[in-house]
mmCIF file of all heavy atoms in Angstrom:
data_model
loop_
_atom_site.group_PDB
_atom_site.id
_atom_site.type_symbol
_atom_site.label_atom_id
_atom_site.label_comp_id
_atom_site.label_asym_id
_atom_site.label_seq_id
_atom_site.Cartn_x
_atom_site.Cartn_y
_atom_site.Cartn_z
ATOM 1 N N VAL M 266 -37.632 -19.834 -18.953
ATOM 2 C CA VAL M 266 -38.850 -20.597 -18.900
ATOM 3 C C VAL M 266 -39.689 -20.238 -17.637
ATOM 4 O O VAL M 266 -40.870 -20.010 -17.716
ATOM 5 C CB VAL M 266 -38.557 -22.110 -18.947
ATOM 6 C CG1 VAL M 266 -39.816 -22.926 -18.711
ATOM 7 C CG2 VAL M 266 -37.926 -22.478 -20.273
ATOM 8 N N ASN M 267 -39.008 -20.230 -16.520
ATOM 9 C CA ASN M 267 -39.723 -20.057 -15.260
ATOM 10 C C ASN M 267 -38.858 -19.271 -14.300
ATOM 11 O O ASN M 267 -38.271 -19.824 -13.381
ATOM 12 C CB ASN M 267 -40.067 -21.453 -14.687
ATOM 13 C CG ASN M 267 -40.986 -21.345 -13.466
ATOM 14 O OD1 ASN M 267 -41.569 -20.333 -13.239
ATOM 15 N ND2 ASN M 267 -41.125 -22.465 -12.777
ATOM 16 N N PRO M 268 -38.776 -17.955 -14.504
ATOM 17 C CA PRO M 268 -37.839 -17.135 -13.704
ATOM 18 C C PRO M 268 -38.388 -16.838 -12.335
ATOM 19 O O PRO M 268 -38.728 -15.701 -11.983
ATOM 20 C CB PRO M 268 -37.691 -15.879 -14.558
ATOM 21 C CG PRO M 268 -39.012 -15.761 -15.253
ATOM 22 C CD PRO M 268 -39.462 -17.181 -15.556
ATOM 23 N N VAL M 269 -38.585 -17.893 -11.498
ATOM 24 C CA VAL M 269 -39.120 -17.711 -10.155
ATOM 25 C C VAL M 269 -37.966 -17.497 -9.177
ATOM 26 O O VAL M 269 -36.826 -17.910 -9.372
ATOM 27 C CB VAL M 269 -39.939 -18.970 -9.722
ATOM 28 C CG1 VAL M 269 -41.171 -19.045 -10.593
ATOM 29 C CG2 VAL M 269 -39.085 -20.234 -9.862
ATOM 30 N N ALA M 270 -38.321 -16.808 -8.074
ATOM 31 C CA ALA M 270 -37.322 -16.526 -7.073
ATOM 32 C C ALA M 270 -36.874 -17.846 -6.365
ATOM 33 O O ALA M 270 -37.605 -18.822 -6.350
ATOM 34 C CB ALA M 270 -37.882 -15.572 -6.047
ATOM 35 N N THR M 271 -35.689 -17.778 -5.817
ATOM 36 C CA THR M 271 -35.135 -18.983 -5.165
ATOM 37 C C THR M 271 -34.703 -18.584 -3.715
ATOM 38 O O THR M 271 -33.491 -18.413 -3.473
ATOM 39 C CB THR M 271 -33.913 -19.483 -5.945
ATOM 40 O OG1 THR M 271 -34.198 -19.528 -7.305
ATOM 41 C CG2 THR M 271 -33.524 -20.849 -5.480
ATOM 42 N N PRO M 272 -35.613 -18.481 -2.794
ATOM 43 C CA PRO M 272 -35.224 -18.156 -1.418
ATOM 44 C C PRO M 272 -34.265 -19.199 -0.834
ATOM 45 O O PRO M 272 -33.444 -18.869 0.001
ATOM 46 C CB PRO M 272 -36.566 -18.134 -0.653
ATOM 47 C CG PRO M 272 -37.554 -17.891 -1.723
ATOM 48 C CD PRO M 272 -37.063 -18.569 -2.956
ATOM 49 N N ALA M 273 -34.422 -20.477 -1.294
ATOM 50 C CA ALA M 273 -33.587 -21.504 -0.712
ATOM 51 C C ALA M 273 -32.116 -21.290 -0.992
ATOM 52 O O ALA M 273 -31.250 -21.696 -0.231
ATOM 53 C CB ALA M 273 -34.022 -22.894 -1.302
ATOM 54 N N MET M 274 -31.737 -20.644 -2.105
ATOM 55 C CA MET M 274 -30.346 -20.395 -2.449
ATOM 56 C C MET M 274 -29.976 -19.040 -1.908
ATOM 57 O O MET M 274 -29.564 -18.102 -2.631
ATOM 58 C CB MET M 274 -30.154 -20.480 -3.934
ATOM 59 C CG MET M 274 -28.748 -20.842 -4.340
ATOM 60 S SD MET M 274 -28.193 -22.498 -3.771
ATOM 61 C CE MET M 274 -29.189 -23.537 -4.880
ATOM 62 N N ALA M 275 -30.028 -18.911 -0.576
ATOM 63 C CA ALA M 275 -29.839 -17.614 0.071
ATOM 64 C C ALA M 275 -28.439 -17.064 -0.109
ATOM 65 O O ALA M 275 -28.243 -15.820 -0.071
ATOM 66 C CB ALA M 275 -30.163 -17.766 1.582
ATOM 67 N N GLY M 276 -27.445 -17.933 -0.290
ATOM 68 C CA GLY M 276 -26.091 -17.455 -0.473
ATOM 69 C C GLY M 276 -25.713 -17.135 -1.882
ATOM 70 O O GLY M 276 -24.555 -16.696 -2.116
ATOM 71 N N GLY M 277 -26.608 -17.308 -2.830
ATOM 72 C CA GLY M 277 -26.302 -16.990 -4.204
ATOM 73 C C GLY M 277 -25.514 -18.065 -4.949
ATOM 74 O O GLY M 277 -25.378 -19.190 -4.501
#
Side-chain angles (χ1 to χ4, degrees):
V266 173
N267 190 13
V269 293
T271 315
M274 206 63 73

